[in-house]
Amino acid sequence: MDKHRGSRLSELFGSLGSFFRKCMFCILSMGPIPNHFAFIMDGNRRYAKKEKLEEGAGHRAGFSVLMSMLKYCYELGVTYVTIYAFSIENFKRKPDEVQNLMDLILEKIEGLLKEESLVNKYGIRVYFIGNLKLLSKPVRVAAEKVMKATANNTKCVLLICIAYTSCDEIVQAVHESCKNKWEEIQPCNSHKSFSGRVEEVDGKSIDDGIGHSVQELFGVQTNELRATRASTFCNDVANGVERTDKKSGVVGHAVHGSCDKWGEVQSLEASRTGDGVIPNVKSEKLLVDLSILKVVDIESHMYMSVAPNPDIVIRSSGETRLSNFLLWQTSNCLLYSPNALWPDMRLWHLVWAVLDFQRNHSYFEKKKKQF
């Protein structure tokens, strides 16, 4: 009898809590609502130590809070939520601790596919962001399974950063951008005639019997030297350093904007004459245009390219460091740092974060327009 009465009271208070939360969210919705929340879940180990819990209990308590925060965010109308689950730097912790965390992550990943899970209730698409090759095979396979299973969900998006650091993200994005840029340049080999002769390039006749591809304009004669020079050129350009190739005089530098020259390369191929010669080609100008690495190229290869930049980053425990998290994406982003450890985070912390965002919204909008 007492159990039944206690259960009914619990349901009543739960319903009242849900009602008041909806009322509060309706009031908040009168102002701008962040489209993208990012969470740095700091303080799980300190919480366990403070509460004298066994190792790993703090992370389990933190996961329960995470589920509540996700529910609040999606009820509020937030579309994107990103969480910093496991840094590459965390692999440097004690092996036993890392293994316990991996076991917990695997357990929770598998739980995302259960019928009653938050993912299915709110129609959430899940992405795992980071260098997934660093994960153990069971965790990696489970993550891929969840991403595939939720690929058709369109209401909300959850991005789980695991085996992630922003430095690693930027490095791989620059690497992939340089690789793609080099592959774009390859069609310019069509400048090389079948007879080993190009009639005219920028008004200069070239006839040395061996033909001139883009690689040769760069002054590259061997595959090994070609790879070395291309890598150096791309790395310097990616770092924003003006780079001039001594033999060709080609200058590369990083700029904003987008200019795809692929169609121009194809038109060059179409202009080839019957004997394989391309006359009057502005090849060096084309080569310069093709070799420019742009911000949009790098951003398209970021792990986080599947989502817009965050509007607000919440880091628990009062810390104001980003700890190598979304450094590229947070230049115009509010950082909110409540003193509570992550397992102590509650609804009112989220509400205060939204109010802080609304108070500073006009300022951040002006800053975005400047860019």
Side-chain angles (χ1 to χ4, degrees):
M1 184 70 177
D2 290 338
K3 277 188 177 182
H4 182 65
R5 185 177 299 170
S7 177
R8 293 195 63 180
L9 283 173
S10 179
E11 288 179 9
L12 177 62
F13 284 120
S15 298
L16 285 173
S18 179
F19 173 74
F20 285 122
R21 190 167 65 247
K22 287 180 180 179
C23 292
M24 187 187 305
F25 288 167
C26 284
I27 295 170
L28 287 175
S29 297
M30 300 299 290
I33 297 296
N35 184 49
H36 187 171
F37 265 102
F39 291 100
I40 302 176
M41 304 178 291
D42 191 22
N44 290 321
R45 291 190 297 174
R46 277 173 282 171
Y47 175 83
K49 187 175 181 180
K50 182 185 74 171
E51 299 295 330
K52 297 181 180 180
L53 303 174
E54 62 181 8
E55 187 175 340
H59 291 96
R60 290 188 177 276
F63 179 81
S64 297
V65 171
L66 172 62
M67 291 296 102
S68 296
M69 285 294 172
L70 290 177
K71 181 175 71 173
Y72 300 153
C73 284
Y74 296 133
E75 286 180 356
L76 184 59
V78 176
T79 305
Y80 296 89
V81 175
T82 300
I83 61 172
Y84 201 6
F86 193 86
S87 167
I88 291 176
E89 299 298 320
N90 292 150
F91 283 111
K92 297 177 182 178
R93 294 182 180 178
K94 296 176 183 179
D96 288 346
E97 182 181 354
V98 172
Q99 187 57 52
N100 288 335
L101 283 172
M102 287 293 111
D103 291 342
L104 176 62
I105 289 170
L106 178 59
E107 175 189 327
K108 300 308 179 184
I109 289 175
E110 291 174 342
L112 291 175
L113 292 179
K114 291 181 179 178
E115 195 66 34
E116 69 278 6
S117 73
L118 198 72
V119 167
N120 292 312
K121 182 178 180 181
Y122 289 97
I124 302 170
R125 180 168 187 175
V126 180
Y127 289 97
F128 287 87
I129 304 296
N131 192 346
L132 302 186
K133 293 181 292 185
L134 299 178
L135 299 173
S136 63
K137 186 176 179 180
V139 176
R140 187 172 64 253
V141 170
E144 291 169 353
K145 185 178 179 182
V146 170
M147 286 191 285
K148 185 177 180 180
T150 61
N152 294 325
N153 292 350
T154 57
K155 292 182 180 179
C156 312
V157 177
L158 172 62
L159 301 105
I160 302 174
C161 293
I162 182 171
Y164 171 92
T165 62
S166 192
C167 289
D168 177 71
E169 178 184 30
I170 294 169
V171 167
Q172 74 82 30
V174 172
H175 177 269
E176 289 298 317
S177 299
C178 288
K179 180 181 175 182
N180 283 8
K181 187 63 65 176
W182 181 249
E183 290 173 354
E184 276 184 30
I185 296 174
Q186 298 310 301
C188 285
N189 280 332
S190 60
H191 291 197
K192 183 175 180 179
S193 69
F194 297 136
S195 62
R197 177 173 58 87
V198 177
E199 281 191 350
E200 187 174 340
V201 177
D202 280 347
K204 301 175 184 178
S205 61
I206 300 174
D207 189 1
D208 56 9
I210 60 172
H212 293 265
S213 65
V214 169
Q215 294 94 326
E216 291 163 337
L217 287 173
F218 267 107
V220 182
Q221 285 79 31
T222 66
N223 288 336
E224 183 178 356
L225 184 57
R226 177 175 63 190
T228 302
R229 289 194 177 180
S231 176
T232 303
F233 188 89
C234 285
N235 285 337
D236 285 350
V237 171
N239 289 324
V241 178
E242 188 173 277
R243 182 83 162 90
T244 303
D245 187 82
K246 292 181 179 179
K247 291 195 176 184
S248 67
V250 173
V251 178
H253 54 279
V255 297
H256 291 271
S258 176
C259 179
D260 186 0
K261 293 294 179 180
W262 178 254
E264 193 169 335
V265 173
Q266 290 178 313
S267 68
L268 290 176
E269 180 65 26
S271 69
R272 185 187 295 278
T273 61
D275 61 352
V277 176
I278 301 178
N280 303 317
V281 177
K282 299 289 185 181
S283 60
E284 290 209 12
K285 180 179 181 299
L286 175 61
L287 182 59
V288 171
D289 290 339
L290 283 171
S291 64
I292 293 174
L293 190 64
K294 298 169 281 293
V295 171
V296 69
D297 296 324
I298 297 174
E299 289 183 336
S300 67
H301 290 94
M302 289 282 188
Y303 296 140
M304 288 291 295
S305 62
V306 296
N309 292 343
D311 297 300
I312 181 169
V313 174
I314 298 179
R315 175 164 186 161
S316 55
S317 77
E319 294 286 349
T320 54
R321 296 175 290 111
L322 287 177
S323 296
N324 219 339
F325 177 59
L326 303 184
L327 300 181
W328 184 283
Q329 295 86 358
T330 52
S331 58
N332 286 300
C333 179
L334 177 67
L335 175 62
Y336 181 71
S337 305
N339 290 322
L341 301 176
W342 178 251
D344 288 325
M345 292 283 287
R346 295 295 181 266
L347 173 61
W348 57 83
H349 294 111
L350 187 70
V351 171
W352 277 114
V354 174
L355 291 172
D356 200 16
F357 169 80
Q358 292 178 341
R359 183 170 60 88
N360 292 281
H361 182 257
S362 59
Y363 169 77
F364 282 109
E365 286 301 303
K366 288 179 183 176
K367 293 290 288 183
K368 288 177 182 178
K369 288 177 182 178
Q370 291 176 6
F371 288 92

Short mmCIF file of all heavy atoms in Angstrom, two decimals, residues 341-368:
data_model
loop_
_atom_site.label_atom_id
_atom_site.label_comp_id
_atom_site.label_asym_id
_atom_site.label_seq_id
_atom_site.Cartn_x
_atom_site.Cartn_y
_atom_site.Cartn_z
N LEU A 341 30.17 21.12 -10.19
CA LEU A 341 30.77 19.99 -10.90
C LEU A 341 29.72 19.38 -11.81
O LEU A 341 28.51 19.52 -11.56
CB LEU A 341 31.30 18.96 -9.90
CG LEU A 341 32.36 19.46 -8.90
CD1 LEU A 341 32.71 18.36 -7.91
CD2 LEU A 341 33.61 19.96 -9.61
N TRP A 342 30.16 18.65 -12.84
CA TRP A 342 29.19 18.17 -13.82
C TRP A 342 28.06 17.34 -13.21
O TRP A 342 26.88 17.57 -13.55
CB TRP A 342 29.90 17.39 -14.93
CG TRP A 342 28.93 16.85 -15.94
CD1 TRP A 342 28.57 15.55 -16.13
CD2 TRP A 342 28.17 17.61 -16.89
NE1 TRP A 342 27.63 15.44 -17.12
CE2 TRP A 342 27.37 16.69 -17.61
CE3 TRP A 342 28.08 18.96 -17.19
CZ2 TRP A 342 26.49 17.10 -18.61
CZ3 TRP A 342 27.20 19.37 -18.19
CH2 TRP A 342 26.43 18.44 -18.89
N PRO A 343 28.32 16.38 -12.31
CA PRO A 343 27.19 15.61 -11.74
C PRO A 343 26.24 16.46 -10.89
O PRO A 343 25.14 16.00 -10.56
CB PRO A 343 27.90 14.54 -10.90
CG PRO A 343 29.26 14.40 -11.51
CD PRO A 343 29.62 15.80 -11.92
N ASP A 344 26.68 17.68 -10.52
CA ASP A 344 25.81 18.56 -9.74
C ASP A 344 25.02 19.53 -10.61
O ASP A 344 24.25 20.35 -10.09
CB ASP A 344 26.67 19.39 -8.75
CG ASP A 344 27.21 18.54 -7.61
OD1 ASP A 344 26.49 17.61 -7.17
OD2 ASP A 344 28.33 18.80 -7.15
N MET A 345 25.20 19.47 -11.91
CA MET A 345 24.49 20.39 -12.83
C MET A 345 22.99 20.09 -12.82
O MET A 345 22.58 18.94 -12.84
CB MET A 345 25.05 20.26 -14.24
CG MET A 345 26.47 20.76 -14.40
SD MET A 345 26.59 22.56 -14.47
CE MET A 345 25.93 22.88 -16.10
N ARG A 346 22.21 21.17 -12.82
CA ARG A 346 20.76 21.03 -12.78
C ARG A 346 20.11 21.95 -13.82
O ARG A 346 20.78 22.71 -14.51
CB ARG A 346 20.23 21.37 -11.38
CG ARG A 346 20.70 20.41 -10.30
CD ARG A 346 20.17 19.00 -10.52
NE ARG A 346 20.59 18.07 -9.47
CZ ARG A 346 21.66 17.28 -9.54
NH1 ARG A 346 22.42 17.32 -10.64
NH2 ARG A 346 21.96 16.47 -8.56
N LEU A 347 18.79 21.89 -13.89
CA LEU A 347 18.03 22.65 -14.87
C LEU A 347 18.33 24.15 -14.78
O LEU A 347 18.46 24.82 -15.80
CB LEU A 347 16.53 22.39 -14.69
CG LEU A 347 15.59 23.24 -15.53
CD1 LEU A 347 15.82 23.01 -17.03
CD2 LEU A 347 14.13 22.94 -15.16
N TRP A 348 18.43 24.68 -13.55
CA TRP A 348 18.59 26.13 -13.43
C TRP A 348 19.94 26.61 -13.99
O TRP A 348 20.06 27.75 -14.43
CB TRP A 348 18.43 26.59 -11.97
CG TRP A 348 19.34 25.95 -10.97
CD1 TRP A 348 20.62 26.30 -10.68
CD2 TRP A 348 19.01 24.86 -10.11
NE1 TRP A 348 21.13 25.49 -9.69
CE2 TRP A 348 20.16 24.60 -9.32
CE3 TRP A 348 17.86 24.08 -9.92
CZ2 TRP A 348 20.19 23.58 -8.35
CZ3 TRP A 348 17.91 23.08 -8.95
CH2 TRP A 348 19.04 22.83 -8.20
N HIS A 349 20.94 25.74 -14.02
CA HIS A 349 22.21 26.12 -14.64
C HIS A 349 22.01 26.33 -16.14
O HIS A 349 22.56 27.28 -16.73
CB HIS A 349 23.27 25.04 -14.41
CG HIS A 349 23.67 24.88 -12.97
ND1 HIS A 349 23.37 23.77 -12.23
CD2 HIS A 349 24.34 25.72 -12.14
CE1 HIS A 349 23.84 23.90 -11.01
NE2 HIS A 349 24.44 25.07 -10.92
N LEU A 350 21.21 25.47 -16.75
CA LEU A 350 20.92 25.61 -18.17
C LEU A 350 20.10 26.88 -18.44
O LEU A 350 20.35 27.61 -19.41
CB LEU A 350 20.16 24.37 -18.68
CG LEU A 350 19.94 24.29 -20.19
CD1 LEU A 350 21.25 24.03 -20.92
CD2 LEU A 350 18.93 23.18 -20.52
N VAL A 351 19.13 27.14 -17.56
CA VAL A 351 18.29 28.33 -17.72
C VAL A 351 19.13 29.60 -17.63
O VAL A 351 18.98 30.52 -18.45
CB VAL A 351 17.17 28.34 -16.65
CG1 VAL A 351 16.42 29.68 -16.67
CG2 VAL A 351 16.20 27.19 -16.90
N TRP A 352 20.05 29.66 -16.66
CA TRP A 352 20.91 30.82 -16.53
C TRP A 352 21.80 30.98 -17.75
O TRP A 352 22.08 32.12 -18.19
CB TRP A 352 21.76 30.72 -15.26
CG TRP A 352 21.05 31.17 -14.03
CD1 TRP A 352 20.69 30.39 -12.97
CD2 TRP A 352 20.59 32.49 -13.72
NE1 TRP A 352 20.02 31.13 -12.02
CE2 TRP A 352 19.96 32.43 -12.46
CE3 TRP A 352 20.63 33.71 -14.39
CZ2 TRP A 352 19.39 33.55 -11.86
CZ3 TRP A 352 20.07 34.83 -13.79
CH2 TRP A 352 19.46 34.75 -12.54
N ALA A 353 22.25 29.88 -18.32
CA ALA A 353 23.08 29.93 -19.52
C ALA A 353 22.29 30.54 -20.69
O ALA A 353 22.81 31.37 -21.44
CB ALA A 353 23.57 28.54 -19.89
N VAL A 354 21.02 30.14 -20.83
CA VAL A 354 20.18 30.68 -21.90
C VAL A 354 19.93 32.17 -21.68
O VAL A 354 19.99 32.97 -22.63
CB VAL A 354 18.84 29.91 -21.98
CG1 VAL A 354 17.91 30.57 -22.99
CG2 VAL A 354 19.09 28.45 -22.37
N LEU A 355 19.66 32.56 -20.43
CA LEU A 355 19.44 33.98 -20.13
C LEU A 355 20.69 34.80 -20.43
O LEU A 355 20.61 35.92 -20.95
CB LEU A 355 19.03 34.15 -18.66
CG LEU A 355 17.63 33.62 -18.30
CD1 LEU A 355 17.42 33.68 -16.79
CD2 LEU A 355 16.55 34.42 -19.01
N ASP A 356 21.86 34.25 -20.10
CA ASP A 356 23.12 34.93 -20.39
C ASP A 356 23.32 35.08 -21.90
O ASP A 356 23.77 36.12 -22.40
CB ASP A 356 24.27 34.15 -19.77
CG ASP A 356 25.52 34.99 -19.60
OD1 ASP A 356 25.42 36.24 -19.66
OD2 ASP A 356 26.62 34.42 -19.41
N PHE A 357 22.94 34.03 -22.63
CA PHE A 357 23.03 34.07 -24.09
C PHE A 357 22.10 35.15 -24.66
O PHE A 357 22.50 35.92 -25.54
CB PHE A 357 22.65 32.70 -24.67
CG PHE A 357 22.46 32.69 -26.16
CD1 PHE A 357 23.55 32.64 -27.02
CD2 PHE A 357 21.18 32.74 -26.70
CE1 PHE A 357 23.37 32.64 -28.40
CE2 PHE A 357 20.99 32.74 -28.08
CZ PHE A 357 22.09 32.69 -28.93
N GLN A 358 20.89 35.22 -24.15
CA GLN A 358 19.94 36.22 -24.64
C GLN A 358 20.40 37.63 -24.33
O GLN A 358 20.21 38.55 -25.13
CB GLN A 358 18.56 35.95 -24.03
CG GLN A 358 17.92 34.65 -24.53
CD GLN A 358 16.58 34.36 -23.90
OE1 GLN A 358 16.24 34.91 -22.85
NE2 GLN A 358 15.80 33.48 -24.52
N ARG A 359 21.02 37.81 -23.18
CA ARG A 359 21.52 39.14 -22.80
C ARG A 359 22.64 39.60 -23.73
O ARG A 359 22.78 40.79 -24.01
CB ARG A 359 22.02 39.09 -21.34
CG ARG A 359 22.50 40.42 -20.80
CD ARG A 359 22.73 40.32 -19.29
NE ARG A 359 23.73 39.32 -18.98
CZ ARG A 359 25.05 39.57 -18.93
NH1 ARG A 359 25.49 40.78 -19.20
NH2 ARG A 359 25.89 38.62 -18.61
N ASN A 360 23.46 38.66 -24.22
CA ASN A 360 24.61 39.00 -25.07
C ASN A 360 24.36 38.74 -26.56
O ASN A 360 25.27 38.88 -27.36
CB ASN A 360 25.84 38.18 -24.64
CG ASN A 360 26.34 38.59 -23.27
OD1 ASN A 360 27.03 39.59 -23.12
ND2 ASN A 360 26.00 37.79 -22.26
N HIS A 361 23.13 38.38 -26.90
CA HIS A 361 22.84 37.94 -28.26
C HIS A 361 23.14 39.03 -29.30
O HIS A 361 23.77 38.75 -30.34
CB HIS A 361 21.38 37.51 -28.37
CG HIS A 361 21.00 37.00 -29.72
ND1 HIS A 361 20.29 37.76 -30.63
CD2 HIS A 361 21.25 35.82 -30.34
CE1 HIS A 361 20.11 37.07 -31.74
NE2 HIS A 361 20.68 35.89 -31.59
N SER A 362 22.70 40.26 -29.06
CA SER A 362 22.91 41.32 -30.04
C SER A 362 24.39 41.59 -30.27
O SER A 362 24.82 41.86 -31.40
CB SER A 362 22.20 42.61 -29.58
OG SER A 362 22.70 43.03 -28.33
N TYR A 363 25.19 41.50 -29.22
CA TYR A 363 26.63 41.71 -29.35
C TYR A 363 27.26 40.66 -30.26
O TYR A 363 28.04 40.99 -31.16
CB TYR A 363 27.29 41.68 -27.96
CG TYR A 363 28.80 41.62 -28.01
CD1 TYR A 363 29.55 42.76 -28.29
CD2 TYR A 363 29.47 40.42 -27.78
CE1 TYR A 363 30.93 42.71 -28.34
CE2 TYR A 363 30.85 40.35 -27.83
CZ TYR A 363 31.57 41.50 -28.11
OH TYR A 363 32.96 41.44 -28.17
N PHE A 364 26.92 39.39 -30.03
CA PHE A 364 27.50 38.31 -30.83
C PHE A 364 27.02 38.37 -32.28
O PHE A 364 27.77 38.03 -33.20
CB PHE A 364 27.19 36.95 -30.21
CG PHE A 364 28.06 36.63 -29.02
CD1 PHE A 364 27.53 36.62 -27.74
CD2 PHE A 364 29.41 36.35 -29.18
CE1 PHE A 364 28.32 36.33 -26.64
CE2 PHE A 364 30.20 36.07 -28.08
CZ PHE A 364 29.66 36.06 -26.81
N GLU A 365 25.79 38.80 -32.49
CA GLU A 365 25.30 38.94 -33.85
C GLU A 365 26.06 40.01 -34.61
O GLU A 365 26.39 39.84 -35.80
CB GLU A 365 23.79 39.27 -33.84
CG GLU A 365 22.91 38.10 -33.48
CD GLU A 365 23.06 36.93 -34.42
OE1 GLU A 365 22.86 37.13 -35.65
OE2 GLU A 365 23.39 35.83 -33.97
N LYS A 366 26.39 41.11 -33.94
CA LYS A 366 27.20 42.16 -34.57
C LYS A 366 28.59 41.65 -34.92
O LYS A 366 29.15 41.95 -35.97
CB LYS A 366 27.29 43.38 -33.64
CG LYS A 366 26.00 44.17 -33.51
CD LYS A 366 26.17 45.34 -32.54
CE LYS A 366 24.85 46.09 -32.37
NZ LYS A 366 24.99 47.19 -31.35
N LYS A 367 29.18 40.87 -34.00
CA LYS A 367 30.51 40.32 -34.24
C LYS A 367 30.51 39.38 -35.43
O LYS A 367 31.45 39.38 -36.24
CB LYS A 367 31.00 39.58 -32.98
CG LYS A 367 31.26 40.47 -31.79
CD LYS A 367 32.47 41.35 -31.98
CE LYS A 367 33.76 40.57 -31.91
NZ LYS A 367 34.95 41.45 -32.02
N LYS A 368 29.46 38.57 -35.55
CA LYS A 368 29.38 37.63 -36.67
C LYS A 368 29.28 38.36 -38.00
O LYS A 368 29.87 37.93 -38.99
CB LYS A 368 28.17 36.71 -36.49
CG LYS A 368 28.34 35.67 -35.38
CD LYS A 368 27.08 34.83 -35.21
CE LYS A 368 27.23 33.85 -34.07
NZ LYS A 368 25.99 33.05 -33.87
#
